Amino acid sequence: MLPRPPADRTVASPGRHPKQAPEASELRGSGREVAEADSGAPLPPGGVPGVAAPHTAALLDLHPAPADLERLVLEGMARQPRQLPAWLLYDAEGSRLFEAIGEQPEYSLTRHETALLRERAPELARSLAEGITLAPVLVEFGAGNLSKVGPLLEALQPAAYVALDISLDQLGPSCRALQERHPTVPVLGICCDYADLDQLPSHPLLEGRPRLGFYPGSSLGNFDPPQARALLRRFARLLGPGSRLLIGIDQPKEQGRLEAAYDDVAGVSAAFAFNLLRRLNRELTGDFDPTAFTYRARWEPTDSRIAMALVSRHAQTVTLAGRRWNFATDEPLITEYSVKYSPEAFQALAAEAGWQAISRWCDGDDDLSLHLLAQADLGTSRPGIDTPIQHHANPTPMRNTP
Ligand code: AVI
């Protein structure tokens, strides 16, 4: 039976801080935006007790309030060099442009990771679920347009799928479309800054089940290493004891290839960065003149990262959020870093955050990896995780043929 189209219910937002974890019932009652899509599907074997069939794709809005946005931008503008949080790039237009980046010939990350996930899904699902006796909940961080999770959902058949992303415009339609394609898996979208979330909201789909994390796309690289370590610790807390994490990590490669990937000939990467200025002008009454900046993407080998910046063409003063900001000639406004980790460097970072490397899968050229991690501290586990996952001291990459 084909799912019915969703019925959006939008109500006024009380302006809760994203760090607070509200009850689902409270969200509905007090006015967080909640959208539901009736999929018309029966409850699957791993279905969640208390969640009646037919399934609904629910959407919770915990997006940072405008006051938080202003505070974060002011903090970033005061840094040296000036640097804004990367998630600001993802308004509706930014999310569309990021999808277009994934289609550029120079940017192979999305294509290669998608192929790896598609081709290795049964094996990935088996490894993720090793020793798990209760159908798990799959939690994806930075889920975007949900284009990568399909094969994993089919192979894993989790009790529920929870997608966290900062772009509400993208998350709503993507959740509804995914629910239609996978009517047997209840879908919950949570619009939030997942890097600033202390706990997952209380929701029937998330209770009493083992949680498996999924963080594809090498988005960890958009945080500097200390932030990335903190984020991995946060994921451990959000997922609970004994959980696992499947994470995609891009690796260092030849400088020319990297710089081309972040400054494509068609100019999509540049447009993605310039869109940030338009967002600032619109949401924080700025007067950035995009023609007074130029886009630059440079490989910085010492930090193993690409630095993306809008560079001031000449000395100028910009007004933003009621303040005036001077830019010198050639002064950069960093829009994003993209750190690249060798498998060893990434596994060392993960270990510092309490995650043990279990397995690694890579594309044919060993350009990027999917790492399976398990929480090192298995002292207290969640219900449904019976046996600790087997780890290998030196996980051998399982390579995809090109
Ligand atoms: C989302 N993230 C992993 C992308 C990257 O490769 O660092 C963001 C991006 N920005 C410009 N191109 C891609």
Side-chain angles (χ1 to χ4, degrees):
M1 178 178 159
L2 269 183
R4 277 190 270 138
D8 271 18
R9 286 188 307 184
T10 305
V11 276
S13 162
R16 176 186 293 275
H17 190 274
K19 283 196 166 197
Q20 290 173 264
E23 299 288 324
S25 56
E26 186 192 345
L27 282 162
R28 288 156 196 263
S30 70
R32 280 288 173 188
E33 193 171 294
V34 179
E36 291 179 282
D38 182 344
S39 77
L43 196 68
V48 177
V51 178
H55 293 311
T56 57
L59 191 64
L60 309 183
D61 182 6
L62 307 179
H63 192 282
D68 291 326
L69 187 89
E70 179 168 328
R71 179 179 55 78
L72 290 167
V73 168
L74 294 181
E75 275 171 23
M77 288 294 285
R79 290 173 71 160
Q80 253 342 295
R82 302 187 199 284
Q83 184 194 345
L84 298 178
W87 62 260
L88 275 176
L89 291 159
Y90 298 88
D91 63 357
E93 178 63 1
S95 300
R96 191 193 66 75
L97 285 165
F98 179 62
E99 267 184 53
I101 288 175
E103 287 157 17
Q104 299 313 302
E106 297 95 328
Y107 192 82
S108 57
L109 197 165
T110 310
R111 264 189 310 281
H112 288 174
E113 189 183 49
T114 306
L116 190 55
L117 281 162
R118 203 176 38 238
E119 286 155 31
R120 297 300 188 121
E123 195 180 322
L124 290 165
R126 257 197 317 278
S127 302
L128 260 169
E130 187 188 318
I132 290 195
T133 55
L134 200 59
V137 175
L138 185 66
V139 179
E140 180 171 352
F141 300 99
N145 63 2
L146 316 189
S147 62
K148 293 183 183 161
V149 75
L152 211 51
L153 287 184
E154 263 154 45
L156 191 65
Q157 283 295 311
Y161 166 68
V162 178
L164 276 64
D165 198 82
I166 192 67
S167 173
L168 187 64
D169 299 307
Q170 190 174 45
L171 194 61
S174 301
C175 281
R176 290 191 282 272
L178 190 84
Q179 184 68 91
E180 289 190 10
R181 287 198 301 278
H182 301 272
T184 59
V185 180
V187 173
L188 168 66
I190 305 177
C191 171
C192 65
D193 173 12
Y194 58 82
D196 195 37
L197 199 66
D198 282 340
Q199 49 184 308
L200 292 172
S202 168
H203 190 281
L205 289 179
L206 279 156
E207 304 309 323
R209 296 263 164 192
R211 293 173 185 170
L212 304 178
F214 180 44
Y215 192 38
S218 201
S219 296
L220 192 78
N222 297 132
F223 299 86
D224 66 31
Q227 289 172 337
R229 198 180 299 115
L231 185 62
L232 289 173
R233 283 205 194 98
R234 186 177 290 271
F235 287 171
R237 270 202 310 281
L238 292 175
L239 295 171
S243 55
R244 292 101 198 253
L245 178 65
L246 183 66
I247 180 168
I249 298 290
D250 198 19
Q251 292 161 200
K253 44 191 88 57
E254 197 249 314
Q255 175 169 359
R257 272 184 71 198
L258 278 166
E259 290 183 347
Y262 290 89
D263 193 3
D264 51 274
V265 170
V268 186
S269 298
F272 180 60
F274 277 113
N275 180 58
L276 176 65
L277 300 188
R278 275 192 290 280
R279 178 173 192 178
L280 294 175
N281 286 349
R282 188 177 64 240
E283 295 185 27
L284 294 174
T285 42
D287 66 356
F288 276 102
D289 171 9
T291 63
F293 289 84
T294 182
Y295 174 72
R296 186 178 76 193
R298 267 199 197 147
W299 174 244
E300 298 181 339
T302 316
D303 295 304
S304 188
R305 69 187 182 190
I306 285 278
M308 286 160 270
L310 293 166
V311 181
S312 183
R313 289 180 188 270
H314 50 73
Q316 56 178 313
T317 302
V318 172
T319 304
L320 182 66
R323 303 186 193 193
R324 291 166 70 75
W325 308 89
N326 294 326
F327 279 87
T329 306
D330 291 333
E331 183 173 346
L333 168 62
I334 306 287
T335 55
E336 243 182 328
Y337 288 116
S338 194
V339 181
K340 308 297 171 188
Y341 293 95
S342 68
E344 300 71 27
F346 171 69
Q347 286 162 4
L349 182 89
E352 286 165 15
W355 290 97
Q356 228 168 33
I358 303 295
S359 305
R360 175 168 89 87
W361 293 260
C362 63
D363 66 327
D365 298 332
D366 203 1
D367 269 349
L368 73 93
S369 293
L370 285 167
H371 294 264
L372 175 61
L373 309 174
Q375 278 189 48
D377 176 14
L378 293 166
T380 40
S381 197
R382 290 184 80 80
I385 305 181
D386 258 15
T387 36
I389 193 165
Q390 294 297 311
H391 79 277
H392 314 284
N394 278 313
T396 343
M398 282 169 256
R399 191 179 284 253
N400 243 21
T401 41

